[in-house]
Amino acid sequence: MLEINHGHIVTVASSLGLFSTAGVEDYCASKFGAVGFHESLSHELKAAEKDGIKTTLVCPYLVDTGMFRGCRIRKEIEPFLPPLKPDYCVQQAMRAILTDQPMICTPRLMYIVTFMKSILPFEAVVCMYRFLGADKCMYPFIAQRKQATNNNEAKNGI
């Protein structure tokens, strides 16, 4: 890519690479790492004047793949932020790639959350998370995982 100054690098991260929540620190850290690597690589390409190499960062909200089954935000907010269908996420990512969009957050509301996080004091962000139910949204998921693990251990006599 560098030699011919042509190509497109796509980093698939998550909205949890832009802001975090409790209970999935390891996942958030890996996504923050992907976002940081992508930003650094993008700056490197710009500094090297490799304008023919495009980059796109993909940051979807919760995707309905079953990975975080049980994750719940505040019930009054859920109808406005349901888990995303995988096909929809792919369509949005492909549109961003084909139009050389540097970043795509799906749904667009994630841009607002990211912006608010960058301008508000930490305690105000905590209040926003609590209002949305995002502060403990992974707790039901974690409880289900623990229950499944305990059931498997009981079955296997561990």
Side-chain angles (χ1 to χ4, degrees), residues 1-153:
M1 280 191 213
L2 290 173
E3 286 178 16
I4 63 172
N5 190 26
H6 182 75
H8 202 121
I9 298 169
V10 180
T11 304
V12 179
S14 168
S15 60
L16 290 179
L18 303 171
F19 50 86
S20 61
T21 189
V24 286
E25 294 81 8
D26 51 350
Y27 181 82
C28 292
S30 71
K31 297 306 176 180
F32 268 83
V35 169
F37 176 78
H38 179 89
E39 288 180 5
S40 180
L41 180 60
S42 297
H43 286 295
E44 182 72 25
L45 292 169
K46 295 293 183 193
E49 298 181 8
K50 297 295 182 179
D51 295 330
I53 303 173
K54 308 300 180 190
T55 61
T56 300
L57 175 62
V58 180
C59 294
Y61 169 66
L62 182 65
V63 182
D64 190 12
T65 61
M67 181 174 174
F68 289 122
R69 184 172 287 121
C71 173
R72 294 284 179 264
I73 58 174
R74 186 173 161 189
K75 66 181 177 187
E76 295 86 359
I77 305 292
E78 276 186 336
F80 303 103
L81 275 175
L84 302 171
K85 299 294 179 200
D87 288 349
Y88 173 75
C89 293
V90 170
Q91 289 171 358
Q92 295 300 304
M94 287 305 301
R95 190 179 76 206
I97 293 163
L98 295 172
T99 59
D100 295 332
Q101 189 174 335
M103 179 177 174
I104 179 70
C105 290
T106 309
R108 293 199 177 276
L109 178 62
M110 296 301 110
Y111 291 111
I112 296 169
V113 175
T114 303
F115 175 71
M116 298 299 279
K117 178 190 166 219
S118 65
I119 63 167
L120 292 174
F122 180 75
E123 290 303 322
V125 173
V126 170
C127 288
M128 179 178 65
Y129 278 26
R130 286 181 179 158
F131 173 78
L132 296 171
D135 58 332
K136 299 177 183 176
C137 64
M138 289 295 179
Y139 286 9
F141 159 74
I142 294 166
Q144 284 183 354
R145 295 284 308 250
K146 284 183 182 177
Q147 183 63 40
T149 300
N150 291 341
N151 288 343
N152 284 337
E153 288 176 356

